[in-house]
Amino acid sequence: MQSKVVNLLVRFNRWSFIQVVRQTLVILFPVTLIGSLARLVVKSFLDANGFFYNILEIDVWLPLVWLRTLQFIFTSATQIFFNLLGVLACFVCAYNTARLYRKDAQMAGVTGVFALLLVAYRYGKNPQVPINFHMVLLGGKSLLLALLIGYGVGQLYRWKGPDQLAVKTVTWLNVRRQAFASLWPLLIATLLAMLVSLVINSGSFYRVYSHTYTTLAAASQEPKSVWTVLLFSLALATMDWLGLGVPSSYKMPLNTTAYMANLNYALAHGSAWHVPYKYLGSTLYNSFANFGGDGLVLALIVAILLFPGNTSLHRVARWSALPTIFNFDYSSLVGLPVILNPVFLLPFMFLPLVNIAIAAGVTALGLIPATPYPVLLGTPGPLIGFLATNGNWGTLVFTILLLFLDIVMYLPFVRLNFQVEARLAPATLGGEQDE
C-alpha cells in the first residue's frame, strides 16, 4: 500500500506543472527567508508591541531617530520581498517551463512578467498615478496565480516560441532572430492577459478574491460553535496550502467584541477561568494551533530535523527554523516545500483542527483556563498560550504536550516525503515528463 502511495506521489511530482513549481519554489526560498527575517525584525524588535522590543527595552537605549531609520529599512525589505514576490515567481516559473522544453527561457520569463502586470493593472482608479496595480495580485498572497500565469506563458513558448540558442558564440544577429521569433507567444500572452484584466476590472471578482482570506480569518474569531471554528480554520489552511494565504501572518487579529468582553472580564476579576466566551476561535487558534504559524510548521521542522536522511531538506529546515519559531513561517512553506505538496496536505490542514478540538475539550473539562490576555508580536508559538493566561503553568505543560503530539503526528508524513524525494532525486528539469 505504501509503495503505491509513493508511486502515485512520484507521478504527481513528475507532472510538468508540479515539477516547474518545485523548481520555482527552490529559487524563491532565499527571497522568502530574507523577507521573513526582515519581518521578524520589524514586528518583534522594532514594534512597540514586539516581543523582543519589550524584553530588551529597546526604546530605553536606542535613539528614536535610529529606531525610525531601522523601521524604514527593514519594512522596505519586507514590502519588496513579499508584495512583489508574485512577479519574481511568474518570471522564474515561465523561465523554467520554457527551459523544460528547451525553448527560449529568457523571453518566456520576460513575457510572464508582462502578462502578470497586465492582469494586475488597475483601470483608471487614481488619475494622479499613471500606472496603478492591484497589488494583491503581485504579492505572495497570489502566488498560485503567478505560478499558473508563468506556466501558461511557458507552454505558449513550447508551442510557438523559438528554441534555445545552440550556438557557442552569441551575436547580435542571433539575439535579434530570437526576439523576432518570440513575437507570436508574446502577442498571444498579451491579448489573453488583457482579456483577464478586463474581467478583473469590470466585475466583483477582484473584490471577492482579495477579501476571501481576511473574511474567513475574521469569521473564525466570532463566538460561534467549535465546529464552525474548525470549518473556517480548515478553509484558511487550504488557502495557505494552495499559495493563496497571507505571507508571514503571525496571528489572527484579536479585536472583536467577544474578545474584548473576555479581556475585560479577566482584567476585572484577575482570572481567566470564567470568561464569557471560552471557545473563541481566535484565541484557540493563536494559543494552541499557531506553533510556527499556519499548519503547525514548527512541528514539521522539528520532525524533519529528527528524521535522518535528506540533508538538503535538513538545511532548509535549519535555515527557516528561526523565523518559524516566532510564527513567521512563509519561508518554510516555500522552502520545504509545503505549498502544493500533497504529502503534507493532510497534516497541514487537519492537525490544527485536532489541536483546537483537544484544547476546547481540555478547557471544557476545567483543566486549563481560557486564554484572553493579549500577547506581544513575535511571541514564540509554544509560549502564546502560557502568556495569554497570564502565566498559568498547567497551560504551558499542556502546550508542550500538544506540540510533542504534533511532532509525532508529522513523522510518518516526513518519512513519506523523504521516500518521494529519494525517488525524485535522479530526475532533472530537462528529464521526461508526465503530461
Side-chain angles (χ1 to χ4, degrees):
M1 178 62 182
Q2 186 176 5
S3 63
K4 291 183 179 179
V5 173
V6 172
N7 291 335
L8 182 62
L9 291 170
V10 168
R11 285 187 59 83
F12 176 82
N13 280 278
R14 285 177 176 168
W15 177 31
S16 60
F17 173 67
I18 297 301
Q19 188 173 354
V20 169
V21 166
R22 286 175 63 90
Q23 291 284 336
T24 302
L25 294 179
V26 168
I27 295 174
L28 294 181
F29 170 67
V31 176
T32 57
L33 176 61
I34 294 175
S36 296
L37 291 172
R39 193 170 181 87
L40 168 61
V41 172
V42 171
K43 293 296 183 182
S44 190
F45 287 87
L46 302 178
D47 192 293
N49 295 316
F51 183 72
F52 286 108
Y53 182 95
N54 288 272
I55 290 178
L56 301 177
E57 298 183 338
I58 290 180
D59 59 323
V60 175
W61 53 268
L62 184 66
L64 182 60
V65 62
W66 280 104
L67 177 63
R68 297 300 185 198
T69 302
L70 291 173
Q71 286 175 339
F72 289 140
I73 292 173
F74 284 95
T75 300
S76 66
T78 300
Q79 295 290 333
I80 293 297
F81 285 142
F82 285 139
N83 290 352
L84 296 177
L85 183 66
V87 179
L88 176 60
C90 190
F91 174 88
V92 176
C93 190
Y95 182 98
N96 285 337
T97 305
R99 191 179 66 167
L100 185 67
Y101 301 104
R102 296 178 176 83
K103 296 294 182 178
D104 188 352
Q106 290 183 338
M107 279 302 299
V110 172
T111 303
V113 170
F114 277 103
L116 179 60
L117 293 176
L118 283 171
V119 167
Y121 188 80
R122 198 173 185 180
Y123 294 168
K125 299 297 182 181
N126 187 354
Q128 303 299 324
V129 181
I131 299 181
N132 198 7
F133 297 101
H134 295 291
M135 294 304 299
V136 172
L137 301 179
L138 300 180
K141 186 177 179 180
S142 299
L143 184 62
L144 178 61
L145 174 66
L147 294 172
L148 289 172
I149 291 176
Y151 180 74
V153 169
Q155 290 293 334
L156 281 177
Y157 272 79
R158 173 193 177 187
W159 298 324
K160 294 291 185 179
D163 295 333
Q164 288 179 337
L165 284 174
V167 296
K168 294 183 179 180
T169 303
V170 178
T171 65
W172 287 109
L173 180 60
N174 293 330
V175 174
R176 187 177 294 114
R177 287 175 178 172
Q178 288 289 103
F180 275 102
S182 300
L183 282 176
W184 273 113
L186 177 60
L187 177 61
I188 295 172
T190 299
L191 293 175
L192 291 175
M194 291 170 63
L195 180 61
V196 174
S197 179
L198 180 63
V199 173
I200 291 175
N201 281 277
S202 62
S204 58
F205 170 82
Y206 174 74
R207 189 180 301 108
V208 174
Y209 174 82
S210 60
H211 289 90
T212 298
Y213 191 93
T214 53
T215 301
L216 288 171
S220 65
Q221 319 179 52
E222 297 299 328
K224 306 177 187 295
S225 68
V226 174
W227 296 111
T228 306
V229 173
L230 296 179
L231 181 62
F232 284 126
S233 299
L234 181 62
L236 289 170
T238 302
M239 294 187 68
D240 293 330
W241 183 84
L242 289 172
L244 298 175
V246 179
S248 294
S249 55
Y250 50 90
K251 67 174 184 176
M252 291 184 183
L254 301 173
N255 53 11
T256 63
T257 304
Y259 172 76
M260 295 307 300
N262 282 353
L263 177 59
N264 290 332
Y265 180 94
L267 293 175
H269 295 80
S271 171
W273 284 98
H274 302 292
V275 296
Y277 302 105
K278 291 184 178 181
Y279 314 110
L280 197 58
S282 55
T283 55
L284 285 171
Y285 176 87
N286 287 324
S287 301
F288 305 111
N290 196 22
F291 306 152
D294 309 319
L296 304 167
V297 180
L298 179 59
L300 172 59
I301 287 179
V302 175
I304 290 174
L305 294 177
L306 289 176
F307 202 89
N310 194 318
T311 55
S312 63
L313 203 58
H314 286 163
R315 187 179 301 114
V316 171
R318 287 193 299 268
W319 275 100
S320 56
L322 178 60
T324 303
I325 290 173
F326 300 96
N327 295 337
F328 301 96
D329 66 329
Y330 200 71
S331 60
S332 300
L333 301 183
V334 170
L336 292 175
V338 174
I339 293 174
L340 295 178
N341 187 346
V343 177
F344 297 132
L345 175 60
L346 289 179
F348 184 82
M349 291 176 61
F350 290 102
L351 276 185
L353 310 189
V354 172
N355 280 21
I356 292 174
I358 293 176
V362 173
T363 303
L365 293 173
L367 299 178
I368 62 172
T371 54
Y373 295 98
V375 296
L376 298 171
L377 301 179
T379 299
L383 294 180
I384 291 178
F386 174 67
L387 297 177
T389 57
N390 199 25
N392 181 272
W393 290 99
T395 301
L396 179 60
V397 173
F398 169 72
T399 302
I400 294 174
L401 292 175
L402 205 57
L403 177 59
F404 178 77
L405 174 64
D406 297 329
I407 295 170
V408 172
M409 295 294 287
Y410 256 119
L411 281 174
F413 298 94
V414 170
R415 180 184 297 107
L416 179 61
N417 188 71
F418 277 25
Q419 292 175 347
V420 174
E421 293 278 349
R423 289 277 299 275
L424 293 172
T428 61
L429 188 60
E432 295 182 358
Q433 316 305 323
D434 291 335
E435 297 302 329

